[in-house]
Amino acid sequence: MRVAIDAMGGDHAPSQIVKGALAAAREWPDTQLLLVGDTAQIEPLFEGNKPANVSIVHADDVIGPDDEPVKAVRRKKGSSMVMAGTLVREGKADAMLSAGNTGALMTTGLLIVGRIDGIERPALAPMLPTMDDVGMLALDLGANMDAKPEHLAQYAVMGSIYRTKVHGMNNPRVGLLNVGTEAMKGNELTKAAYTLLEQAPINFIGNVESRDVLLRNCDVLICDGFAGNILLKTMEGTASVVMRGVRDAIMSTFLTKLAGAVIKPKLASMRAKMDYKEHGAGPLLGVNGLVLKCHGSSNDQAVKNAVGKARTAIQSRLVEAIASEFSGK
């Protein structure tokens, strides 16, 4: 297995990206890791101890967080992100991952790697944390701000395949994010999508509400990218504020500090449930190659977990399974 890593993308690149890649290389010596980026910046980070299954693919340029996605991908052919996507397209890597510019990565998936035949719009599908530690696959969470009912139906099929192939989940429950559980609730998009989802080859359980997401009211959550991205960032922000509030309350008096020492392991467990670093990365489903998006603030642990997720998807032949479903074979 060969995984191309955009070593220059993300808030903590290249140091944390390289550190995570080195940890992954030691954990999985059967996986070749291709660090794509500036050799002069990457090599010193090895500190003279580069594993045999790690190599550098030099890239002169970088797509920054403020770059306009389409222009950047078209003009910066020598950037680390575009070159990683090119390795996947040319069959020199089985997967790529990046913590860089989300819009640019979506564009790289579309313009460089290419869509699977029959897929109209690829979807970003990260895992959302749930209280039972199983997690919920949600798509689309930001690849497309607008969507048609047909796109949501395709998301549902791809999400079901992902849950089955990668997570070994039998007959995953698919829910449509909505403002109520009744069949005819919602806007024109969700009403039309509801009918298509009923007809799709999936285990559709109907509309679900966002307030129950943390309780895993379904296994695959379907929504357009606009609503999905708002949901994702609201969850991230709420988790951060709640944990900060709990910490401040515990530190307020001597007695609460004593109580905090008792419940500290439980709080640490809850924090881990909501931590993006534990989930690693979300795949861009619908492109003709495995493309994974890491959180922009990913540290070494998140990068290592992302490589693990890529390995599982490669081993389960995820892309081939989706392509086969939409080709009718």
Side-chain angles (χ1 to χ4, degrees):
M1 289 179 284
R2 300 158 299 174
V3 179
I5 300 175
D6 172 11
M8 311 307 292
D11 299 341
H12 307 299
S15 60
Q16 290 296 304
I17 308 300
V18 173
K19 185 178 179 181
L22 293 176
R26 290 188 287 267
E27 180 77 15
W28 301 294
D30 63 333
T31 301
Q32 295 292 320
L33 300 180
L34 311 173
L35 286 168
V36 187
D38 182 7
T39 303
Q41 294 186 57
I42 296 172
E43 272 194 338
L45 298 173
F46 293 145
E47 298 180 346
N49 187 26
K50 182 168 74 70
N53 58 329
V54 174
S55 58
I56 300 174
V57 177
H58 181 71
D60 292 317
D61 212 342
V62 177
I63 293 179
D66 298 323
D67 282 342
E68 198 284 319
V70 176
K71 288 182 180 178
V73 170
R74 286 178 171 165
R75 294 176 181 177
K76 295 185 175 183
K77 300 296 185 183
S79 65
S80 54
M81 183 185 293
V82 172
M83 288 184 65
T86 302
L87 290 172
V88 174
R89 184 191 67 201
E90 294 178 349
K92 296 176 182 177
D94 302 301
M96 72 161 286
L97 59 91
S98 175
N101 185 313
T102 301
L105 185 63
M106 304 304 108
T107 305
T108 296
L110 282 170
L111 300 184
I112 306 301
V113 179
R115 285 182 294 121
I116 291 174
D117 289 341
I119 299 293
E120 293 186 31
R121 295 274 185 90
L124 186 61
M127 290 293 293
L128 297 180
T130 56
M131 295 308 294
D132 61 2
D133 293 327
V134 175
M136 176 189 295
L137 185 75
L139 62 164
D140 174 29
L141 293 198
N144 310 285
M145 290 300 104
D146 297 299
K148 297 178 180 178
E150 294 79 11
H151 300 155
L152 299 190
Q154 290 189 345
Y155 299 166
V157 174
M158 291 192 293
S160 294
I161 293 173
Y162 184 90
R163 277 302 233 176
T164 300
K165 285 287 184 178
V166 176
H167 298 148
M169 186 172 285
N170 184 38
N171 204 27
R173 300 166 299 153
V174 179
L176 177 63
L177 183 65
N178 213 324
V179 295
T181 58
E182 298 86 354
M184 293 312 295
K185 280 276 190 176
N187 55 21
E188 294 305 314
L189 172 63
T190 56
K191 290 176 183 177
Y194 191 100
T195 301
L196 294 179
L197 291 171
E198 284 184 308
Q199 301 167 359
I202 57 173
N203 178 20
F204 180 53
I205 62 169
N207 292 325
V208 296
E209 296 184 73
S210 58
R211 64 183 177 185
D212 297 320
V213 165
L214 289 175
L215 300 177
R216 196 163 65 92
N217 51 357
C218 61
D219 303 305
V220 180
L221 180 68
I222 303 302
C223 53
D224 65 271
F226 184 78
N229 199 260
I230 290 174
L231 170 68
L232 175 64
K233 289 175 179 175
T234 299
M235 290 180 66
E236 288 181 344
T238 301
S240 176
V241 170
V242 168
M243 294 307 297
R244 190 183 310 141
V246 170
R247 182 195 61 199
D248 292 345
I250 288 174
M251 299 302 293
S252 61
T253 69
F254 176 72
L255 289 178
T256 56
K257 288 178 182 178
L258 290 177
V262 174
I263 64 172
K264 185 176 179 180
K266 290 294 184 181
L267 289 176
S269 175
M270 179 176 293
R271 187 181 185 89
K273 289 179 190 288
M274 306 300 293
D275 191 349
Y276 68 88
K277 295 188 291 293
E278 298 295 325
H279 299 281
L284 180 62
L285 298 180
V287 295
N288 197 26
L290 192 57
V291 177
L292 295 107
K293 175 66 176 76
C294 302
H295 196 287
S297 299
S298 290
N299 62 7
D300 59 317
Q301 178 189 344
V303 173
K304 178 186 174 184
N305 288 345
V307 173
K309 187 165 288 187
R311 281 172 43 85
T312 303
I314 293 168
Q315 291 170 330
S316 63
R317 301 181 65 82
L318 172 66
V319 174
E320 292 85 347
I322 293 174
S324 177
E325 176 68 29
F326 284 90
S327 69
K329 295 179 181 179

